[in-house]
Structures are given as structure tokens and as C-alpha cells.
């Protein structure tokens, strides 16, 4: 993994110094995500995409369904493919809805890389070149094992994207890491901050012996922080979360959150552009999928993360 990332970084640096045909190629790469406009976590994805495009001299574009509607996303992939880009980078948030449009793009000869949502196996099934992202079950398992070592035996998983089954694997992995049944420990919180806060408070009121909370990103973590503050349990209940953001970093810093799992979204957008540029120009391609995470971020390792949270981390 380290060798692959070093090679990618070296390639990116080399591209920035090119002054001949490589920069004149002007490839166009489009990233299509499932994220609604309201999800600020994806700003890091946008920054990684923009920086990689600048470094390799390619035109890059970010597209998404404004409300997060998957059927709308499928139409965006179809429209993108019809514009004949030199490569498509996309999430596979719902294989049942998105596999067809992605396979049609591949059939047209458009290189596709799957990022963030989906699995390496699903990426291969739709004909993508590779998958770049975090193995979600494995990340959840590692988190559960860590929590078990810390003495946790029960938990609440606040899932704000139940419609994306791969993300739910984080909760299942966490339960397996603890050695307990998932059961009703996972709730469908929705994405409205007020609703998430109220559901967390209601669950903890009905289940006062819950020892830990796991959230799956800033969308669920930020309101959960507020819920714990309102009921006087901030810092008293074991709290781990996936992904990073400004409020999550603050929570780690003040002791409300024990750790955050960084799947490094910057790399999920940055590396595909580097890979596609190399693939289009020189016909070279890494031989394996790339795991962008997981990595545990604790209070002891916050300086660089805090500096770039919400921008590149």
C-alpha cells in the first residue's frame, strides 16, 4: 500500500513539471457522487479532485444529485457517459440502481473507477478498473475490537444512510468486534440534525445501560454530540465515529469522542485522477485496488488533522 501511494505521489509530482504533450492532452474526468449538497464531508473529496486535476493538467468536474436521490444519480451517470469523458469516477451507493448506467459507460469504452461506496467485488462486477476506498466491514471490526479492549460491551450505532447497505457494514463489523449481536443496536436516524438528536436522546433514555455510541460520519456525529451535551453525558459515554469534520475534531480534542476513523476522502478523489491520467497517457495501471483507510485518529495525533480538517482530512 505504501509503495503504491508513494508511486502515485511521485507520478503527481512528475506531472506538475511536464511541459510537453502530457499537459496538452487536456483529459476530462468526471466524479459523480451520491452525496446531497448538504453533506459538507464531501468538500474534502472536491478539494482532492481539484488538486489532482491541477497537478496533472486535466479538466475535472464534480457532479451529484442535490438531494442525494439515487435515481437522480443514475441519470447523472448516464448524462456524463453521453458526454464522452476520458474517465468517470463514481460511488456505487446502490448497486441495484447504479450498476446498469455504470456498465453502459464501460461498454462505451469509458474507464471507470469506483470510490468510497461499494466493494472491490462490486467494482469488478460492473467492469470498473479498480476500487479506491475503505473496506467498511473491516474498519468496523477493528473499531469494535478496539472498543472491546477498552471495556465496552454494548453500543448504539447511529446510521444516517441506511439506504446504503455497505455503510451499514460498519455497524455489523463493530458488533462482531465486540462479540455481540447487532440486533436493534443500529437505528435509522435519517439525515435531519434535529431528528438525529431526538432519536439519540430517545434511545439512550430507553436504554440507559448502553456503554458506547458509534456514528458513521459528521452528519450523525455532530447532532449526537449535541444530544450528549443536552443530557449531560458528553465525555461520560464511550464515543467513536467514522470520518472527520470540524465538530468531530473538537469532540476528540475535548474528550467527548475517543477516536475518529479516517477513511481519507482526499485520497479517494485525488488518486483516481492520477491513476486515470497515467492510464490514458501511458497505459499503466496499478495491479490492485487501493485501501484509503481505516486509520484511527485520537487526541494524541490531532495537530496535522486539525489543521486540515474539512479541507484535506
Amino acid at each position: 500500500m505504501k509503495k503504491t501511494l508513494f508511486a502515485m505521489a511521485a507520478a503527481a509530482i512528475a506531472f506538475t513539471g511536464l511541459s510537453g504533450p502530457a499537459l496538452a492532452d487536456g483529459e476530462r474526468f468526471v466524479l459523480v457522487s451520491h452525496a446531497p449538497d448538504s453533506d459538507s464531508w464531501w468538500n474534502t473529496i472536491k478539494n482532492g479532485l481539484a488538486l489532482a486535476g491541477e497537478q496533472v493538467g486535466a479538466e475535472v468536474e464534480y457532479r451529484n444529485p442535490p438531494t442525494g436521490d439515487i435515481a437522480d444519480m443514475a441519470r447523472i451517470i448516464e448524462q456524463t457517459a453521453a458526454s464522452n469523458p476520458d474517465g468517470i469516477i463514481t460511488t456505487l451507493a446502490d448497486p441495484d440502481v447504479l450498476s446498469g448506467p455504470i456498465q453502459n459507460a464501460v461498454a462505451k469504452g469509458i474507464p471507470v473507477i469506483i470510490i468510497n461506496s461499494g466493494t472491490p467485488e462490486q467494482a469488478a462486477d460492473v467492469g470498473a478498473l479498480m476500487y479506491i476506498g475503505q473496506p467498511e466491514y473491516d474498519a468496523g471490526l477493528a473499531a469494535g475490537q478496539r472498543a472491546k479492549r477498552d471495556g465496552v460491551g454494548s453500543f448504539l450505532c447511529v446510521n444516517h444512510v441506511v439506504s446504503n447497505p455497505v455503510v451499514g457494514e460498519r455497524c455489523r463489523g463493530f458488533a462482531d468486534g465486540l462479540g455481540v449481536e447487532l440486533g436493534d443496536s443500529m437505528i435509522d436516524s435519517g439525515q435531519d440534525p434535529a431528528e438525529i438528536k431526538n432519536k439519540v436522546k430517545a434511545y439512550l433514555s430507553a436504554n440507559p445501560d448502553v456503554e458506547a455510541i458509534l456514528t458513521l460520519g459528521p452528519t450523525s456525529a455532530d447532532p449526537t454530540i449535541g444530544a450528549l451535551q443536552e443530557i449531560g453525558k458528553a465525555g461520560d459515554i464511550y464515543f467513536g465515529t467514522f470520518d472527520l469534520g470540524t465538530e468531530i475534531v473538537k469532540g476528540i480534542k475535548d474528550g467527548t469522542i475517543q477516536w475518529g476513523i479516517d477513511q481519507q476522502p482526499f485520497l479517494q478523489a485525488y488518486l483516481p485522477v492520477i491513476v486515470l491520467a497515467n492510464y490514458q497517457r501511458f497505459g499503466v495501471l496499478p495491479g490492485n485496488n487501493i485501501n484509503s483507510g481505516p486509520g484511527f485518529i485520537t487526541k494524541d495525533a490531532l495537530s496535522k488533522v486539525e489543521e486540515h480538517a474539512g479541507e484535506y482530512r
Side-chain angles (χ1 to χ4, degrees), residues 46-63:
K46 297 174 186 177
N47 291 339
L49 179 72
L51 181 60
E54 178 184 341
Q55 290 183 342
V56 303
E59 178 185 349
V60 294
E61 180 182 351
Y62 177 91
R63 302 194 64 191

Side-chain angles (χ1 to χ4, degrees), residues 57 176 259:
D176 288 350
W259 40 259

Side-chain angles (χ1 to χ4, degrees), residues 34-76:
H34 60 272
D37 290 344
S38 59
D39 194 338
S40 62
W41 183 85
W42 291 81
N43 290 339
T44 301
I45 291 277
K46 297 174 186 177
N47 291 339
L49 179 72
L51 181 60
E54 178 184 341
Q55 290 183 342
V56 303
E59 178 185 349
V60 294
E61 180 182 351
Y62 177 91
R63 302 194 64 191
N64 68 297
T67 64
D69 181 74
I70 296 297
D72 190 14
M73 180 184 175
R75 289 189 290 271
I76 292 173

Side-chain angles (χ1 to χ4, degrees), residues 8 29 55 95 99 110 116 142 176 237 241 250 309:
M8 295 295 183
F29 303 128
Q55 290 183 342
S99 290
I110 301 171
N116 181 264
D176 288 350
I237 189 168
T241 186
K250 289 179 182 176

Side-chain angles (χ1 to χ4, degrees), residues 77-212:
I77 293 174
E78 292 170 348
Q79 293 165 359
T80 299
S83 71
N84 294 312
D86 296 291
I88 293 176
I89 305 159
T90 186
T91 63
L92 190 50
D94 187 333
D96 291 339
V97 178
L98 302 176
S99 290
I102 293 172
Q103 289 170 328
N104 291 339
V106 171
K108 290 187 63 176
I110 301 171
V112 174
I113 291 178
I114 302 298
I115 66 164
N116 181 264
S117 298
T119 66
E121 294 76 19
Q122 290 171 338
D125 287 344
V126 297
L129 295 178
M130 64 191 306
Y131 172 82
I132 299 177
Q134 175 174 260
E136 303 293 8
Y137 174 82
D138 293 343
L141 182 67
Q145 291 169 338
R146 183 186 185 108
K148 184 177 182 179
R149 291 193 297 270
D150 291 339
V152 171
S154 61
F155 75 107
L156 162 64
C157 182
V158 187
N159 188 342
H160 63 278
V161 280
V162 167
S163 61
N164 187 341
V166 175
V167 177
E169 288 291 280
R170 298 172 174 179
C171 302
R172 186 169 71 85
F174 192 83
D176 288 350
L178 287 181
V180 302
E181 294 294 326
L182 179 58
D184 62 358
S185 295
M186 182 176 75
I187 62 170
D188 177 2
S189 69
Q191 298 195 16
D192 178 75
E195 184 178 358
I196 294 171
K197 184 187 293 185
N198 289 334
K199 285 187 175 180
V200 169
K201 290 166 63 176
Y203 189 95
L204 294 179
S205 176
N207 301 273
D209 296 330
V210 168
E211 298 173 353

